[in-house]
Amino acid sequence: MIPAWLADKGRLVLALVLAVVLQTIVTSQLPILGVTADLFLLLTVLVAIARGAGVGLVFGFAAGLTADIVFLEPVGLRTFIYLLVGYGVGWYVEEFGLQSAWMVVILAGTASLLSQAVYGLFQFITGSAGGLLAMTRLQILPAALVDGLLAAPLYLGLVRLRLLPRPDAGDPSFR
Amino acid sequence: MPRKTLVRRRVAFAALVLTALVLMSVFFREPATGVLHSVQRTGFDVLSPLQGLASRAVQPFQDGYRWTKDLLHANRRNREMAAELEQLRGQLVLLEEARQENERLKAMLELRDAEIFPKGSTFVTARVIGRSPTRWQEWVEIDKGTADGVALNQPVVGATVPLDKSLSGKGLVGKVIAVGEHAAQVQLIIDPESRVAAVVQGTTERPQGIVEGMVPGKLIMDYVDRDKVVELKRIVITSGFGQIFPKGIPIGLVESVGEEDVNIYKQIEVRPFVDFSTLEEVMVLTNPVIVGEKLEDMRSVAPQQDMGTGSR
């Protein structure tokens, strides 16, 4: 018999592995609006929504570190951003609740927008990117839209796979 | 939330933020053979075959997506291209017109140097910008005037491409009968009021006469002695005796020769070298070399006319 806490953490690890596979095989091959969805970020947001700031923080760290390795980017950068996202989204949901299903979309879109902005700012500071305004138009806003729209179906999929709890399980205000 | 949990969460938050920053710092400081770089390379080595396979597997779907997307855009693109085509066609017409005009003007410049017209002549090229409204008069309006050196009674000759040795299109057109600053009126030699002293080339007799215009647009050479022999297809040129047209400007070819018992002169029909119905550019001889009296003297005699439009 597997202990509950281990099964719980196992599910999160499984979700992360699934994200690596899907990101590598599917998402990166199918750009939408010129950008590809960031499943690591989405997963961080969804875990934070479902499990709160504490788990969101740790999961964001793990997902960001994985993303740094998978995306071949400076190790620590996405780690830093995603742990902030996980903590921030978890804190918001703990404080204000998840009023409606649209909040999943809005939170994912906002998290994507902010993380992309921070990432873009870092690129701008290190001088390794083009114009920030051009990148806002070509990358940041489309990515936020795509991530936001993909959040809801991904959430439902993860719930159906029992990798995440039902969104309304602990929140009576959720509709 | 229990205070203990809150503290633990804050400590974890600080520790993870610190770890992330340390990772970042180490990554930027370490060489390419460092631990973090090695981990990243290993991850890349593991995932790249998967990506390769996925890329090939997804390719048909990507192609299908692009095909559908292209199909959806095809109609709009088609409309855009049709509009663009119409625009380009319009430009093509303008370019073709400019090319033809350029060709004509170039030919006129070359014509100036050819020895068709009297030596020493200088030309002002002009475009025909208006025509007489009826066939009762035969004149054209040109876009050059006194500002360009055009003056009353200056001869006007044709300048039709292609430039070759033939005289077609390069004969006498008429003379300036009214002049403004930037335009002038040219009486054509086919005008009923036109008179040009002429001579038939090609024989030793060189019969002389007056070429007159006749309605509708014919040329008759009158006052040619009946005892002079005139052959068909001979060239008729200006004789220079009329004080306006210099000697040697080609007028046309002898088309037919008529004789009447009651008329002491031959009547010769002349086919002009210039097609007056399609006249587009002409050249005004601005310093015609006149046999006999000087042009300046003649100019002082010529009546001063304006380009009044009230009579048109």
Side-chain angles (χ1 to χ4, degrees), chain B residues 289-304:
Chain B
V289 182
I290 304 293
V291 177
E293 293 181 67
K294 289 182 178 177
L295 185 61
E296 285 72 20
D297 299 335
M298 186 275 299
R299 277 178 184 161
S300 64
V301 175
Q304 293 297 309

Side-chain angles (χ1 to χ4, degrees), chain A residues 24 29 53 68 73-75 94, chain B residues 9 24 27 40 51 54 62:
Chain A
T24 309
Q29 307 294 333
D68 282 333
E73 286 171 348
V75 174
E94 284 172 1
Chain B
R9 183 186 286 183
M24 221 183 320
F27 183 85
Q40 206 170 40
Q51 272 188 311
Q62 282 183 330

Side-chain angles (χ1 to χ4, degrees), chain B residues 244-295:
Chain B
I244 291 179
F245 301 104
K247 186 180 178 181
I249 299 176
I251 297 173
L253 294 172
V254 175
E255 182 83 356
S256 65
V257 180
E259 289 183 25
E260 294 173 352
D261 292 339
V262 294
N263 198 337
I264 59 171
Y265 299 111
K266 288 179 189 289
Q267 277 214 327
I268 301 167
E269 191 175 341
V270 178
R271 181 158 57 87
F273 287 122
V274 175
D275 181 1
F276 295 99
S277 64
T278 59
L279 207 58
E280 287 188 46
E281 273 99 16
V282 295
M283 294 193 296
V284 183
L285 275 65
T286 51
N287 68 333
V289 182
I290 304 293
V291 177
E293 293 181 67
K294 289 182 178 177
L295 185 61

Side-chain angles (χ1 to χ4, degrees), chain B residues 36-99:
Chain B
L36 292 178
H37 283 84
S38 299
V39 170
Q40 206 170 40
R41 268 198 304 278
T42 306
F44 175 72
D45 289 340
V46 170
L47 292 174
S48 56
L50 274 178
Q51 272 188 311
L53 284 172
S55 175
R56 279 194 287 277
V58 170
Q59 189 65 42
F61 298 101
Q62 282 183 330
D63 291 344
Y65 171 72
R66 286 198 194 101
W67 185 83
T68 310
K69 193 177 164 187
D70 290 346
L71 199 63
L72 289 172
H73 286 283
N75 192 29
R76 184 169 60 93
R77 183 77 183 135
N78 187 37
R79 282 200 302 273
E80 286 174 0
M81 288 183 78
E84 196 176 343
L85 183 65
E86 287 305 311
Q87 196 179 356
L88 288 173
R89 275 184 180 153
Q91 288 177 358
L92 192 65
V93 169
L94 291 175
L95 284 174
E96 177 61 20
E97 191 64 22
R99 188 191 66 78

Side-chain angles (χ1 to χ4, degrees), chain A residues 51-54 87 90-91 94-95, chain B residues 1-10:
Chain A
R51 299 289 180 86
Y87 187 78
W91 172 84
E94 284 172 1
E95 287 292 316
Chain B
M1 183 180 293
R3 182 173 170 77
K4 192 180 174 185
T5 308
L6 196 63
V7 170
R8 203 167 61 189
R9 183 186 286 183
R10 283 179 181 167

Side-chain angles (χ1 to χ4, degrees), chain A residues 52-148:
Chain A
V55 179
L57 170 71
V58 178
F59 189 86
F61 180 88
L65 190 60
T66 312
D68 282 333
I69 293 168
V70 171
F71 292 149
L72 293 173
E73 286 171 348
V75 174
L77 180 58
R78 283 185 191 266
T79 311
F80 176 71
I81 295 170
Y82 288 11
L83 74 87
L84 290 180
V85 167
Y87 187 78
V89 171
W91 172 84
Y92 178 88
V93 174
E94 284 172 1
E95 287 292 316
F96 304 104
L98 201 64
Q99 291 88 358
S100 76
W102 286 106
M103 278 310 292
V104 176
V105 176
I106 292 168
L107 282 173
T110 307
S112 174
L113 190 74
L114 292 175
S115 64
Q116 289 278 345
V118 172
Y119 190 80
L121 191 65
F122 175 81
Q123 297 287 341
F124 183 73
I125 291 167
T126 55
S128 56
L132 200 57
L133 286 176
M135 286 305 288
T136 303
R137 183 171 55 84
L138 296 172
Q139 171 66 36
I140 296 175
L141 292 177
L145 186 67
V146 169
D147 287 343

